[in-house]
Amino acid sequence: MTAQDYDNQLLESVSVRRRRLRDALLFGAQRQRRSLDERVGKVFAGVVIAAVVCAGCVGWSFVSHRVIGKSPYGASVTAPSGQSSSTTPSPSATSSR
C-alpha cells in the first residue's frame, strides 16, 4: 500500500464520518426516513421538469403555428384573416414539370 492510497483511504473515511455526523445532527433518529423523502423529492422534481418541457413544446408549437400560419402536418389551416391556406401543393403545380 502506497502513501497516496493510505491518504485517499483516510480522506474517504473522514468524509464518510463527517457525512454521518451531519446527517445525525440534521435528521436525528429518522435518518432512514430521509432516504425515502429524498427519493420522493427527486421523483417530484422529475415530474416538474417533464411538465415544463411539455409546456415548452406545446408553447413552441402554438407560437410557430401562429407566426407561420401553416400546419406542419399538411392540413389546411384557417389564417387569422379568415382565408384558408393549404400546405400541400396542388396537382396542377406538380404536373407542370
Side-chain angles (χ1 to χ4, degrees), residues 62-83:
F62 178 77
V63 168
S64 65
H65 176 76
R66 289 293 184 178
V67 169
I68 297 171
K70 297 179 181 177
S71 173
Y73 303 110
S76 295
V77 176
T78 304
S81 63
Q83 300 172 348

Side-chain angles (χ1 to χ4, degrees), residues 14-61:
V14 168
S15 172
V16 168
R17 184 172 292 134
R18 284 182 180 172
R19 185 177 60 231
R20 287 180 181 168
L21 284 171
R22 183 192 67 218
D23 289 348
L25 178 67
L26 291 175
F27 302 107
Q30 297 182 355
R31 284 185 298 174
Q32 299 302 324
R33 185 175 175 203
R34 176 185 60 89
S35 63
L36 177 64
D37 292 343
E38 283 182 357
R39 281 187 235 131
V40 169
K42 288 179 183 178
V43 168
F44 182 71
V47 168
V48 168
I49 290 171
V52 168
V53 169
C54 288
C57 290
V58 169
W60 176 257
S61 175

